[in-house]
């Protein structure tokens, strides 16, 4: 029970950090981000994914490889925010997360049945 709590804390902190990054980004979507908001966006998602991996490890559920790859890839979106624009970093984050979840459903045995509710 206590392990679930400590594994869940990074997920909450990641959501808060991501929300802070969104707050700083939303008014300047077409502009280059400063380093802080770009790291808040990517770091918040990365901390959330780290907490998710810990939570799943404590409960002994699900594969970790796709979410671990997503954790690394979301950190790689920081240069997109600082070099291109905040909007494109948000788009890159969504693409990474959807790609990781899609790969998990596609290549994890039994995952597709759990998602679709079949057999």
């Amino acid at each position: 029970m206590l392990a679930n709590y400590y594994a869940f804390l990074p997920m909450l902190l990641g959501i808060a950090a991501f929300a802070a990054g969104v707050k700083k980004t939303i008014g300047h979507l077409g502009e280059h981000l400063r380093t802080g908001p770009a790291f808040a966006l990517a770091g918040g998602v990365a901390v959330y994914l780290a907490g998710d991996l810990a939570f799943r490890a404590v409960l002994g559920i699900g594969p970790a490889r796709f979410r671990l790859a997503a954790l690394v890839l979301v950190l790689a979106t920081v240069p997109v925010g600082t070099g291109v624009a905040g909007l494109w970093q948000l788009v890159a984050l969504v693409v990474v997360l959807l790609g990781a979840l899609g790969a998990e459903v596609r290549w994890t045995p039994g995952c597709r049945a759990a998602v679709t509710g079949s057999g």
Side-chain angles (χ1 to χ4, degrees):
M1 177 78 166
L2 196 57
N4 289 344
Y5 172 75
Y6 286 117
F8 191 62
L9 277 179
M11 294 171 75
L12 293 175
L13 293 173
I15 291 169
F18 176 73
V22 168
K23 181 182 177 194
K24 294 291 185 182
T25 303
I26 203 75
H28 311 283
L29 287 175
E31 301 172 13
H32 299 284
L33 293 179
R34 293 186 177 179
T35 306
F39 270 113
L41 288 172
V45 175
V47 170
Y48 175 85
L49 287 171
D52 181 58
L53 287 168
F55 191 74
R56 289 169 164 272
V58 167
L59 295 178
I61 58 172
R65 65 181 184 249
F66 298 113
R67 293 176 193 231
L68 186 59
L71 190 151
V72 173
L73 290 174
V74 297
L75 292 174
T77 66
V78 171
V80 175
T82 58
V84 182
L87 173 64
W88 294 110
Q89 184 178 5
L90 288 171
V91 168
L93 289 169
V94 169
V95 167
V96 168
L97 292 174
L98 289 177
L101 290 175
E104 189 173 298
V105 168
R106 172 71 173 99
W107 287 298
T108 301
C111 189
R112 181 175 290 168
V115 170
T116 60
S118 62

